[in-house]
Amino acid sequence: MELQREVCGYGRESELLAWSTPIGEESARFLARFLELGDDRDMVFCYDLTGRALEEAARLAGFEIRSDLDYTLEAFAPDG
């Protein structure tokens, strides 16, 4: 199954999506070492990004961490 992965930032107050940016499969696999995946080897679930995982996601995707947002790593089926 081919998936598109994105790092998403949600407003802490509103819980609405503030922004998202795509992240490659290799980068997502690198982030996996900082996440508790359980049995989700395909990484199809949504994962909260905090601490080291968030720092690495910011480095890999090239964004600055904002204190007013909560961050996740999400997977989507590509359109088409």
Side-chain angles (χ1 to χ4, degrees):
M1 169 179 14
E2 182 181 333
L3 295 173
Q4 175 182 337
R5 300 183 194 283
E6 293 184 356
V7 174
C8 302
Y10 291 89
R12 288 194 175 168
E13 298 273 330
S14 68
E15 298 183 1
L16 296 175
L17 179 66
W19 70 266
S20 66
T21 189
I23 191 167
E25 183 68 21
E26 188 174 310
S27 294
R29 293 289 167 193
F30 177 80
L31 291 177
R33 70 181 69 183
F34 306 106
L35 303 171
E36 294 183 26
L37 299 180
D39 292 333
D40 185 23
R41 301 286 179 231
D42 293 326
M43 296 176 63
V44 297
F45 298 118
C46 176
Y47 293 96
D48 291 331
L49 294 173
T50 60
R52 180 79 189 271
L54 178 56
E55 292 169 6
E56 292 297 331
R59 184 183 64 79
L60 292 167
F63 66 90
E64 289 189 31
I65 299 168
R66 291 176 34 189
S67 62
D68 63 325
L69 298 179
D70 288 323
Y71 294 89
T72 58
L73 175 63
E74 301 183 19
F76 304 91
D79 292 335

